[in-house]
Amino acid sequence: MTAVDTPPAAVRHRAAATHRLLRAARGDLLAAAGAAVLLLIVLAALAAPLLAPHPGDGTDATHPAQALLGPGGDHLFGTDGVGRDVLSRVLYGARTSLTIVVSVLAVSALIGVALGAVAGYAGGLVRDAIMRVTDVFLAFPALLLSVALAVVLHPGVQGAIIAITASWWPWYARTSAVTAAAIRSRGFVDAARCLGVPHARILLRHVLPNSLTPVLVQLSLDAGGIILTAAALSFLGLGPQEPTAEWGLMVQQGQSLLTTDWWVVAFPGLAIVVTAFCFNVLGEGLRAVLDPRREAAR
Amino acid sequence: MARYLLRRLAQAVLVVAGVVVLTFVVMRLVPGDPAVTYAGPRATAAQLAQARTELGLDRPLPVQLWDYLASLARGDWGTSLRTKQPVLDDVATAFPASLELVGTAVLVAVLAGLPLGLLAARRGRGGADATVRISSMLAVSAPVFLLALLAQNLLATKLGWLPVAGEYDPELDTTSPLTLFTNVTAVDALVTGNWAVLGSTLRHLVLPALAIAAYPTGVVAQMTRAALLEEAAQNHARLERALGFTRWQVLTRFSLRPALGPVLALLALVFAFSLVNAFLVESIFNWPGLGRYAANAIRSSDTPAIAGVTLAVALAYVLVNLLVDLAQAALDPRVRIG
Amino acid sequence: MSPLITIEDLRVRAGDRLLVALDALEVGPGECVALVGESGSGKTTVLNAMLGLTGGLRVSGRVVVGGVDVVGADERALGRVRGSAAALISQSPQDSLNPTMRLGTLLRRVLARHGVRGAEARERTADALRSVLLDPGLLRRYPHQVSGGQAQRFAIATAVALRAGVLLADEPTSALDVTVQASVLDLLARLRREQGVALVFVSHDLAVVSGIADRVVVLRDGRVVEAGPAAGVLGAPASAYTRELLDAVPTIGK
């Protein structure tokens, strides 16, 4: 029974992948640096109330008397149009952005992998039905579907998460359907069926975990895209609303001030670029290690 | 080839049907009563009821869907709540300007991204490779609206090198009026020999097009590099080297063509992505395209207009996907069989 | 006559690991030398070294092909060796042809690369196809539209059209089925007879080797286990390793 439950090849594969990961971290300095900076960003987001020089400014305080002070002194990144500390808002903005990224990735991966695994495992009509629905979602440019949905949903963090998730899950469904179909054709699934293991158990124990691997490779690369999509929604006024601190929203609100009071736009803008860049280099580095076919291409 | 074409067309029709249904479903999710938006907040109960009948909201959903399909087919895409014009007319007026902008951006992306990818693939993990890799990654990580704002404020407002906004100098409408032909200003100006408008349009085009082009340039460069390296690892590259071609010759004369397949497939994605990025850039540069129209519609919760834009862009995407697939089949004979 | 290929003290290393140590090897005009051994024995590496296709590996010694020392040669000098002095016939004929290119286009480009154009190119193409018994109509096809045997014949025709003095055949028949194998081997033998082409034949299949080679070099882990006339080495092997290789071939030795 154990022999059927644990395909030893998969375990070996995982160990090998970990080993390659460690070796690659030494080779790919850029990806390693990206991971380090990301870790700092995550810590900063978690500790925002402690780190922010003016924690109140991250939420709903305003000080019109201190509007548009340049960087320096008490306000390292300056203050915005209503006198809020930009540094504090950038820190709190990290919380908003990371909340959106993590939620979208988690929900999309959950829906996508579940549907994809079922489609790939079941095959036949079930597969066709699920994949055709996926095709329709993929027929919309990702940002477009998110924009359309965000318009009709209540704008806010939640609305943004739902809107982005709607255009994100189909990619995972497609990827994991392919993997699940490949796993199904492998011997141990048939062996398990012969031993009377129920479908649900095979799906949960073997197909789902294995379908997750290629999706995990994709997650970090996608995180960069989600940061940009969320920022774009905010810039269109469809994301989180005042007084929530969000980088895209901050850029949008400061756009008319760019020539005179650059810091209002520059720091949140820089935060978006740095975070997306780190996710992207880390994602590319991970993919090179975990996806051997692409690794061969280097 | 004919069979491949037919199969691909049938597939596209199915997807279009799905797109329409999904658009319908999304627009039905609107919180609040569309009849209220339509009739205005101060409408009487009778007016509301009339609006409901006019909008067909009193009938069952499947019937509404059928009506929606039928009216779409008739060319009735609803009426914009903001402009009070038929949505299809609005879309048809705005689309050419977007096409002009996004077309230029994608062209720039290909013209810059392909050579960059080639350069990066040339030496594997060398200096040129690292430079291209990092800069293309940066281009992919920068939000398009930030690039647009920076370009506008720095190069136009501060330095005055290029126009700040608009499609061409509005004064030209009186001094050298443009005869419309395709509605793509640059093309019409070129065809009718209206050099003043052409020059002005091209100068206005530079900044928004470059802002939009950054992302696709990065993507095309990365994809070209990856596809070329993969192609260079194939058996045929070894034989080509063994027959006396240099590494560079193998890349440009032998690997480039099979590598173009994946890059082409990417172009459809990149085109659609850029069309939506134009939503952000057009409103910043006041470019009279679909993006500015969409941004305005979003700001005024103009649901029929948003539905129209969504549908138009999705249809354009399906069409571009179809074209790209056919181009790929022409480029790589294996695709036609598989 | 002077040899077409002369190897002296060839050492190929990957980092600190020695992949190949070959002290001496000569291939004269019209001769067929077979390099045999298991996979990983370094036979293909030797072949690659003859063409200077050892990117990433450290190569020392002398490998003179068509009068050019390939070791340390620049791309320009290598361009005179590859294709014109020595032509590669590779293991998987179809994979080795560019999938997006008609065979005729490929051949035209290869000839042009070696300065053969226009009428002369057409004439050489026609002659080469005739000598490998291929229909000229094949030139209009893509690689996926021809059989493995046709693809391999085409590869040989390319070498003939380039007037290469020596063919470097890297397991040229292992991807083909038995009857096609025999006809490709016949073709190679005939080219040697009629055109005096020399052959370096890399294979793990001693049955095939015994039918075509004049001399045999047995390699194991990059070292020469034994070398000599084919009849001697294969008929009365001195080393246990060669006997093992022979035992793997049931049809030989009786």
Side-chain angles (χ1 to χ4, degrees), chain A residues 16-288:
Chain A
T18 315
H19 179 69
R20 263 184 305 179
L21 199 68
L22 290 174
R23 214 183 40 200
R26 262 176 281 154
D28 196 344
L29 283 177
L30 193 61
V37 175
L38 270 182
L39 192 66
L40 286 181
I41 294 173
V42 171
L43 288 178
L46 288 175
L50 301 173
L51 291 175
H54 303 269
D57 293 3
T59 48
D60 50 7
T62 55
H63 322 279
Q66 300 172 26
L68 300 175
L69 299 177
D74 193 27
H75 302 284
L76 206 57
F77 286 3
T79 61
D80 68 4
V82 289
R84 292 176 298 200
D85 180 50
V86 173
L87 174 58
S88 302
R89 287 188 72 72
V90 167
L91 284 170
Y92 272 86
R95 302 188 126 198
T96 317
S97 291
L98 292 179
T99 307
I100 295 178
V101 168
V102 171
S103 312
V104 170
L105 286 179
V107 180
S108 305
L110 208 69
I111 300 176
V113 172
L115 280 177
V118 169
Y121 182 71
L125 258 166
V126 177
R127 186 198 139 81
D128 284 351
I130 294 178
M131 292 333 280
R132 288 299 86 77
V133 172
T134 310
D135 282 349
V136 169
F137 274 86
L138 288 176
F140 288 86
L143 182 55
L144 177 71
L145 189 59
S146 301
V147 166
L149 259 174
V151 169
V152 301
L153 293 170
H154 186 65
V157 176
Q158 244 178 15
I161 291 171
I162 298 172
I164 303 174
T165 302
S167 60
W168 229 268
W169 70 267
W171 294 103
Y172 302 138
R174 187 178 270 186
T175 313
S176 40
V178 175
T179 330
I183 294 166
R184 162 134 196 86
S185 65
R186 250 184 259 154
F188 70 84
V189 171
D190 284 338
R193 281 299 296 156
C194 287
L195 291 171
V197 182
H199 280 300
R201 191 179 153 82
I202 299 178
L203 213 89
L204 277 177
R205 293 291 303 266
H206 302 297
V207 181
L208 265 177
N210 282 301
S211 308
L212 206 58
T213 317
V215 168
L216 284 177
V217 174
Q218 198 60 38
L219 288 185
S220 175
L221 267 179
D222 286 354
I226 294 170
I227 292 271
L228 294 185
T229 309
L233 285 183
S234 299
F235 190 80
L236 285 169
L238 297 171
Q241 304 290 309
E242 271 291 321
T244 312
E246 207 276 343
W247 297 334
L249 188 63
M250 292 166 77
V251 172
Q252 191 246 329
Q253 287 172 333
Q255 58 173 314
S256 57
L257 304 169
L258 189 52
T259 26
T260 48
D261 311 287
W262 55 270
W263 58 89
V264 182
V265 169
F267 292 112
L270 201 63
I272 301 175
V273 177
V274 168
T275 313
F277 183 76
C278 289
F279 272 126
N280 281 334
V281 288
L282 176 63
E284 206 214 22
L286 280 179
R287 181 155 72 176

Side-chain angles (χ1 to χ4, degrees), chain B residues 49 52-60 64:
Chain B
R52 217 161 260 141
T53 323
E54 253 175 59
L55 295 170
L57 293 171
D58 50 349
R59 283 177 295 169
Q64 287 187 36

Side-chain angles (χ1 to χ4, degrees), chain B residues 75-283:
Chain B
D76 173 13
W77 287 30
T79 306
S80 160
L81 303 178
R82 189 176 60 91
T83 66
K84 310 288 177 202
Q85 297 283 317
V87 170
L88 191 57
D89 290 358
D90 282 351
V91 167
T93 317
F95 211 75
S98 287
L99 222 51
E100 180 178 40
L101 182 58
V102 173
T104 310
V106 172
L107 195 69
V108 169
V110 173
L111 291 182
L114 271 181
L116 283 175
L118 208 57
L119 206 67
R122 185 181 172 184
R123 277 272 160 244
R125 288 215 159 200
D129 183 28
T131 315
V132 172
R133 192 170 153 232
I134 293 178
S135 50
S136 62
M137 198 76 88
L138 264 176
V140 172
S141 308
V144 65
F145 56 86
L146 193 66
L147 291 177
L149 284 175
L150 285 179
Q152 187 183 46
N153 280 281
L154 210 69
L155 302 178
T157 312
K158 272 230 162 122
L159 298 171
W161 290 352
L162 287 158
V164 175
E167 195 183 16
Y168 58 89
D169 193 343
E171 276 176 32
L172 291 172
D173 273 338
T174 45
T175 54
S176 51
L178 180 68
T179 326
L180 288 179
F181 182 57
T182 60
N183 280 329
V184 180
T185 309
V187 173
D188 289 347
L190 188 69
V191 170
T192 56
N194 193 336
W195 308 124
V197 171
L198 182 64
S200 180
T201 306
L202 291 181
R203 276 162 38 79
H204 280 79
L205 201 52
V206 174
L207 291 182
L210 283 185
I212 297 179
Y215 179 89
T217 305
V219 173
V220 168
Q222 283 177 349
M223 192 57 161
T224 306
R225 170 183 172 278
L228 278 174
L229 288 182
E230 195 161 324
E231 214 44 59
Q234 302 285 316
N235 273 330
H236 66 78
R238 179 181 175 224
L239 183 68
E240 284 144 15
R241 293 269 281 139
L243 287 171
F245 292 94
T246 62
R247 213 181 119 81
W248 180 245
Q249 284 170 329
V250 170
L251 273 184
T252 53
R253 296 195 208 167
F254 293 94
S255 301
L256 191 57
R257 189 166 154 166
L260 276 183
V263 176
L264 249 179
L266 200 70
L267 273 192
L269 214 64
V270 150
F271 174 81
F273 193 87
S274 303
L275 206 52
V276 188
N277 268 343
F279 282 28
L280 302 147
V281 174
E282 284 181 8
S283 46

Side-chain angles (χ1 to χ4, degrees), chain C residues 132-163:
Chain C
V132 302
L133 307 173
L134 275 182
D135 174 22
L138 211 73
L139 293 179
R140 283 195 301 276
R141 301 219 195 135
Y142 287 100
H144 69 268
Q145 295 169 319
V146 304
S147 70
Q150 285 173 323
Q152 201 58 296
R153 279 167 187 275
F154 174 77
I156 297 170
T158 307
V160 171
L162 287 170
R163 312 254 157 95

